[in-house]
Every structure is written in structure tokens, then in C-alpha cells.
Amino acid sequence: LGAGGLIAAMKEDVAKVRYPKRVRELAKLESQAVEIGLYSNHNVHGLLQTEEHMRALFDVWLPAHTEAETERMVAARLARRSVFERSPAPMLSFVQEEVTLRRPVGGTMVWRRQLERLLELGKLRHVSIQVMPTEVEDHFGTGGLIEVLKFTDGTAVGRSDGAFAGRPVTDPKQLRILELRYGMIRAQALTPRESRAFIEQMLGES
């Protein structure tokens, strides 16, 4: 794929690690990225979720997970949050659909703590959180989730539900399409400051 060894690095022996293979690979890429752009239109993105929010989401999946499976998934998702504590810190950009913030996953208190978590993370200098209002008419995010991760050597990996059969891509031409879509989505969304005020208003109304 011309990824400069990036994909091969994902396949190293990780048998001793207890997290699911797909999650381990994603966490490895996130730990190496210097810039991460994420658009989420279905749920609050996993990196932004509180533990309570994660458990509430996993508890309603069908078919139902066993308790052991849920614990493995929660542990894996929590481990990925170390990306916020790295030094030097990567630039992290998130765009969340308004509906993902209004859905009271886990009940009112879990939902409120999730919104508070977003406000907390949004204060970090290397984190940008934007809200995409539901009322936007000409929406460039209708193709679904977008992820773009960039690395120090100039390579990148991207994925989108609505492009290239949802598979990870490293080809510059394909990445350019995902970056274009993500850039347009960010331009349509509320600014980070407006988004913070929007979330604070939601908390005040609850």
C-alpha cells in the first residue's frame, strides 16, 4: 500500500496483550500519530467517552455481550485515552453531531457527566471539539464517520464509512478526499468556543 512500513508495524506480535486485535491496532496508530482528526455522527467518539457512557453503550448492544467481553472492551477503550496525556501532545480535532450530545445515554446523570467530560477535554490546548448543528442543510458529513491520522514521517492513514468500502487507506489521492470532506465538515460546524457555549447551555437546560 506504500505506507512506508506503517501497516506492517501494526501486525507485530501482540499475543500477550488482552485487548481485542482491532482495538490494539487502532491504539497503536493513535499512540504514534502527531495529528488526529475525527468526525463522529452516531455516538460520542470513543476517545471522548466517560467510562459510564461506554458501559451504557455496550450494555444495549445486541446480541448481548458477556460481562467478561464488556470488561475487555471498556478496558481497551480506557487505555486509548492515554493519547490525551502524551508528550509531546498530538493535535486532536473532533467534530460531533449535535444528536450524539443530546441522546441521554445511561440516563440523566451519566449524560451530564459525559457533557462535563467534553468541556474538560476541550480546555486542553491540543484538543479541539466542535459541534455540528442538526439544522445544517448542506451537510458534507452524510457519508458517516471519518478518521484521519498523520505521522511524523509524513505518512497518514484514513478511514470513512462512506468511502473506499470503509477500509483504511494510505494512498495520497484517497487521503486527500477524506481530508477535503473533514475540512468542509469542520468549516460547517460551530467553532470550538461556540461549541463550548452550546454544551454549557445544554447542561444548564437539564
Side-chain angles (χ1 to χ4, degrees), residues 29-114:
L29 289 178
E30 289 170 348
S31 71
Q32 297 171 340
V34 295
E35 185 178 337
I36 301 176
L38 302 157
Y39 164 65
S40 188
N41 68 339
H42 186 59
N43 290 312
V44 172
H45 193 276
L47 288 176
L48 299 174
Q49 292 172 9
T50 66
E51 182 175 347
E52 295 170 305
H53 189 104
M54 297 174 197
R55 292 184 182 279
L57 286 175
F58 292 145
D59 282 347
V60 296
W61 279 11
L62 293 174
H65 297 298
T66 66
E67 185 174 340
E69 288 172 335
T70 296
E71 291 304 316
R72 287 179 66 230
M73 291 188 295
V74 168
R77 188 163 291 185
L78 287 173
R80 288 172 55 203
R81 299 199 311 193
S82 63
V83 70
F84 292 106
E85 303 163 2
R86 279 174 44 200
S87 181
M91 294 303 299
L92 297 160
S93 166
F94 298 87
V95 179
Q96 286 287 155
E97 283 290 334
E98 176 184 339
V99 65
T100 67
L101 307 185
R102 292 198 177 278
R103 185 176 297 119
V105 173
T108 300
M109 293 310 298
V110 172
W111 171 71
R112 284 186 59 87
R113 283 191 284 269
Q114 178 61 67

